[in-house]
């Protein structure tokens, strides 16, 4: 088996944590039981690009239990848990000497070159074949396949320019090496039946490609299942934003002024958690609806400019770029903590920060850096501006990820087994499946659901067994 992880000897520790996680992931375990016999993913060759954590290990082994062949990478250079990666490679039946699990190409602290190399490896099955399904988080695997196929069609790879981000240079170098007359990327794209996308940012990219007419295969938007974005993005971040801050800095949050940029699902979870710790939370927003929500939830809503000089903690949650600029950071108070929990590292202008004349970066510990300005004040930047909850802590806990990943597995089964029903486009899972995912998690929390009577169901115009809401209901 080909694979590349940090240290296979961590597999035993990883396996113990996977066993604990399985108990906290009732949705995934129920899906394993439901499909044990029918094996709906037999024949599926799934390339996954999603944070290689313990929870993801349970997802991967669920896909395998349903018959799939899988190859995996992390979708972030800092988010791999090395013991999880090792355990997945070794597999439940294998040993360190004789690994029998799944090829994983991921370790914590990859360089950008290594990151994209890993993605390339996972997209190439031994024997020169590619995957027939992608499971993506943030859209990097989908992007690579699309760009490769696009440049093969054009017959050339354009050069990156000085104004392009560093990462684009790395991607272009990879494509210059791999785009060629044998049309590897085009062949990979042709074989892919579809992609299931985990997060807001990746979904955004998919809709853009579909609008531009460049999307090459159908996609299921897992993010907008209610049991994903209204749970993982919100309650997951409510847990892991504090975990990231604590593990990185251990600063007392109570009494501090914390700024949350963006009040979407992630922002709502972060603001709630910081308030729960006793911080005075201030929200910034561009959308009047979200701004009004924040105000009515009791938060001060103002601009970053107003608060940048006195806030203690900053968390960006927008999925947008240049939210916190180098100029903002120059005006922050000494030891202000600057962090991002949105998908990419350009929410905080890290490139601009590095260009400030006389600035000095110093590592406190991995994923925690001080940046000292020439005037003597410094700020603390978490995870180099990348996802702080995955870079500085261990991301979301198992129970909430069980909701997200049960959607992922159901979406993979949908696209793989009903390919003809999904012409190229971007889809969300039907509501009865969304409700099913929630249902699978109720018992574990001791929830007793009230059942509609037949008369009540008729009165409100739904079936007794659901779905209970119209598609446009917002929860
Ligand atoms: P969302 O679209 O619900 O929320 C983003 C909010 O930011 C919107 O309300 C938007 O109006 C606001 N916004 C945009 N530009 C802004 C600006 N210049 N200033 C202030 N506010 C601005 O998206 P969601 O689901 O909350 O996701 C946000 C990001 O977090 C995405 O990149 C997503 O991929 C990522 N994400 C990260 C997770 C993690 O574990 N770290 C988990 C789930 C999502």
């Amino acid at each position: 088996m080909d694979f590349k992880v940090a240290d296979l000897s961590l597999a035993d520790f990883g396996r113990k944590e996977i066993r604990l996680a399985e108990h906290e992931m009732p949705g995934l375990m129920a899906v394993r039981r439901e499909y044990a016999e029918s094996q709906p993913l037999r024949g599926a060759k799934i390339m996954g690009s999603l944070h290689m954590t313990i929870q993801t290990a349970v997802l991967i082994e669920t896909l395998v239990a349903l018959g799939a062949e899988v190859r995996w990478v992390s979708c972030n250079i800092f988010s791999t848990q090395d013991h999880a990666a090792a355990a997945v490679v070794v597999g439940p039946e294998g040993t360190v000497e004789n690994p029998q699990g799944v090829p994983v190409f991921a370790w914590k602290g990859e360089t950008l070159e290594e990151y994209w190399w890993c993605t390339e490896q996972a997209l190439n099955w031994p024997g020169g074949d590619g995957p027939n399904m992608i499971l993506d988080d943030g859209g990097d695997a989908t992007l690579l396949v699309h760009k490769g196929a696009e440049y093969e069609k054009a017959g050339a790879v354009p050069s990156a320019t000085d104004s392009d981000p560093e990462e684009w240079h790395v991607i272009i170098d990879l494509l210059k090496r791999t785009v060629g007359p044998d049309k590897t990327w085009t062949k990979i794209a042709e074989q892919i039946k579809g992609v299931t996308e985990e997060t807001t940012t990746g979904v955004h990219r998919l809709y853009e490609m579909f609008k531009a007419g460049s999307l090459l295969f159908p996609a299921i938007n897992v993010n907008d299942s209610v049991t994903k974005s209204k749970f993982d993005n919100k309650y997951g971040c409510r847990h892991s934003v504090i975990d990231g801050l604590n593990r990185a800095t251990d600063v007392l949050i109570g009494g501090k002024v914390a700024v949350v940029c963006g009040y979407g699902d992630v922002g709502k979870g972060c603001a709630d958690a910081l308030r729960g710790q006793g911080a005075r939370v201030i929200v910034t927003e561009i959308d009047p609806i979200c701004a009004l929500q924040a105000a009515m939830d009791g938060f001060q809503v103002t601009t970053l400019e107003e608060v940048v000089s006195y806030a203690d903690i900053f968390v960006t949650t927008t999925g947008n770029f240049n939210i916190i600029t180098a100029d903002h950071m120059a005006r922050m108070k000494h030891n202000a903590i600057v962090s991002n929990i949105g998908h990419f590292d350009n929410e905080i202008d890290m490139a601009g920060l590095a260009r400030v004349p006389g600035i000095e970066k110093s590592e406190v510990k991995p994923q925690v850096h001080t940046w000292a300005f020439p005037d003597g004040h410094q700020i603390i930047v978490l995870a180099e501006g990348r996802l702080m909850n995955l870079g500085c802590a261990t991301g979301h806990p198992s129970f909430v990820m069980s909701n997200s990943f049960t959607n992922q597995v159901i979406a993979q089964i949908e696209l793989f087994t009903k390919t003809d029903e999904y012409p190229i486009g971007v889809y969300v899972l039907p509501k009865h499946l969304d409700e099913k995912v929630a249902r699978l998690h109720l018992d574990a929390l001791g929830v007793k659901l009230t059942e509609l009577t037949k008369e009540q169901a008729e009165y409100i115009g739904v079936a007794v067994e659901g779905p209970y809401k119209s598609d446009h209901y917002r929860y």
Side-chain angles (χ1 to χ4, degrees):
M1 189 189 7
D2 58 334
F3 63 87
K4 191 161 163 53
V5 298
D7 182 359
L8 268 198
S9 72
L10 298 171
D12 187 40
F13 171 36
R15 183 55 50 191
K16 286 179 183 152
E17 289 216 335
I18 290 172
R19 294 279 178 246
L20 293 180
E22 285 171 349
H23 182 69
E24 278 286 289
M25 303 188 87
L28 283 183
M29 300 313 276
V31 166
R32 281 193 203 181
R33 287 191 296 275
E34 181 179 347
Y35 293 107
E37 244 174 73
S38 59
Q39 296 282 293
L41 293 177
R42 185 178 297 132
K45 291 161 70 184
I46 303 171
M47 183 276 181
S49 168
L50 193 152
H51 312 289
M52 185 54 259
T53 63
I54 289 291
Q55 292 71 32
T56 303
V58 183
L59 166 65
I60 293 171
E61 293 182 351
T62 303
L63 297 168
V64 172
L66 270 49
E69 254 183 68
V70 179
R71 289 168 78 80
W72 211 268
V73 292
S74 216
C75 61
N76 181 291
I77 59 174
F78 293 133
S79 65
T80 297
Q81 292 169 351
D82 288 322
H83 64 319
V88 170
V89 169
V90 167
E93 312 294 336
T95 60
V96 171
E97 295 71 34
N98 180 21
Q100 293 183 18
V102 164
V104 174
F105 302 85
W107 55 96
K108 191 172 180 78
E110 296 158 3
T111 64
L112 284 175
E113 284 79 7
E114 288 166 341
Y115 172 82
W116 286 97
W117 176 86
C118 288
T119 305
E120 184 193 353
Q121 302 314 303
L123 282 164
N124 282 287
W125 253 251
D129 220 1
N132 53 23
M133 296 292 296
I134 293 181
L135 192 159
D136 219 348
D137 181 339
D140 280 352
T142 305
L143 174 97
L144 193 60
V145 173
H146 276 77
K147 285 293 164 198
E150 179 187 331
Y151 298 150
E152 279 172 1
K153 197 168 169 202
V157 180
S159 294
T161 63
D162 287 349
S163 60
D164 285 326
E166 185 194 348
E167 188 153 9
W168 187 243
H169 287 256
V170 175
I171 298 170
I172 287 292
D173 285 348
L174 188 162
L175 290 172
K176 286 211 156 136
R177 179 165 55 70
T178 52
V179 162
D182 47 348
K183 304 229 185 260
T184 316
W185 294 109
T186 311
K187 284 181 205 152
I188 290 177
E190 279 168 3
Q191 276 182 27
I192 292 174
K193 290 171 185 277
V195 55
T196 59
E197 169 55 52
E198 174 81 1
T199 201
T200 316
T201 290
V203 162
H204 180 68
R205 280 177 166 181
L206 287 168
Y207 283 114
E208 298 255 291
M209 281 194 278
F210 181 55
K211 240 196 290 169
S214 59
L215 187 64
L216 297 175
F217 34 78
I220 290 186
N221 162 3
V222 168
N223 183 68
D224 287 302
S225 287
V226 180
T227 47
K228 200 284 181 181
S229 49
K230 298 290 173 190
F231 288 80
D232 167 325
N233 303 24
K234 185 178 176 189
Y235 304 118
C237 289
R238 187 177 70 178
H239 171 101
S240 59
V241 70
I242 301 297
D243 198 9
L245 283 168
N246 283 349
R247 293 202 211 192
T249 67
D250 205 20
V251 75
L252 184 76
I253 297 169
K256 298 282 175 17
V257 176
V259 180
V260 175
C261 301
Y263 201 68
D265 291 319
V266 172
K268 287 179 175 74
C270 292
D272 190 15
L274 289 159
R275 173 160 63 189
Q277 290 290 312
R280 187 149 66 82
V281 180
I282 298 172
V283 167
T284 73
E285 250 298 345
I286 48 113
D287 178 335
I289 296 176
C290 298
L292 187 60
Q293 281 181 314
M296 294 189 64
D297 285 339
F299 298 109
Q300 182 187 347
V301 184
T302 187
T303 61
L304 194 54
E305 281 64 28
E306 295 268 318
V307 295
V308 74
S309 59
Y310 65 85
D312 303 280
I313 299 168
F314 296 83
V315 184
T316 57
T317 77
T318 68
N320 202 341
F321 83 119
N322 263 354
I323 301 301
I324 298 184
T325 63
D327 184 47
H328 287 135
M329 291 184 271
R331 287 188 280 140
M332 286 176 185
K333 68 195 237 194
H334 186 62
N335 280 354
I337 298 168
V338 182
S339 65
N340 166 41
I341 198 166
H343 197 79
F344 289 121
D345 65 341
N346 55 2
E347 287 206 31
I348 301 167
D349 182 13
M350 295 303 296
L353 182 64
R355 282 196 301 268
V356 170
I359 193 117
E360 273 183 34
K361 178 185 176 190
S362 165
E363 180 160 299
V364 179
K365 59 184 178 182
Q367 270 63 266
V368 182
H369 294 88
T370 55
W371 289 77
F373 288 79
D375 68 1
H377 90 286
Q378 67 178 22
I379 57 164
I380 303 168
V381 178
L382 306 193
E384 313 247 11
R386 294 172 191 271
L387 296 171
M388 56 85 89
N389 59 334
L390 282 135
C392 299
T394 50
H396 295 353
S398 301
F399 195 82
V400 84
M401 293 317 293
S402 180
N403 286 269
S404 309
F405 289 167
T406 306
N407 278 291
Q408 277 287 4
V409 175
I410 292 175
Q412 286 282 323
I413 296 174
E414 276 290 300
L415 273 185
F416 184 69
T417 59
K418 301 183 186 158
T419 315
D420 295 345
E421 293 175 28
Y422 291 94
I424 289 180
V426 187
Y427 305 88
V428 288
L429 283 175
K431 192 162 290 291
H432 74 275
L433 293 177
D434 215 345
E435 289 178 358
K436 173 180 171 174
V437 173
R439 222 180 260 285
L440 292 175
H441 291 87
L442 297 181
D443 277 355
L445 298 180
V447 174
K448 282 198 178 146
L449 207 55
T450 302
E451 253 182 62
L452 278 174
T453 65
K454 196 166 160 292
E455 293 73 26
Q456 285 176 323
E458 272 166 20
Y459 188 74
I460 60 170
V462 300
V464 172
E465 65 283 2
Y468 302 102
K469 300 286 196 293
S470 62
D471 281 339
H472 56 265
Y473 186 80
R474 293 191 179 89
Y475 297 87

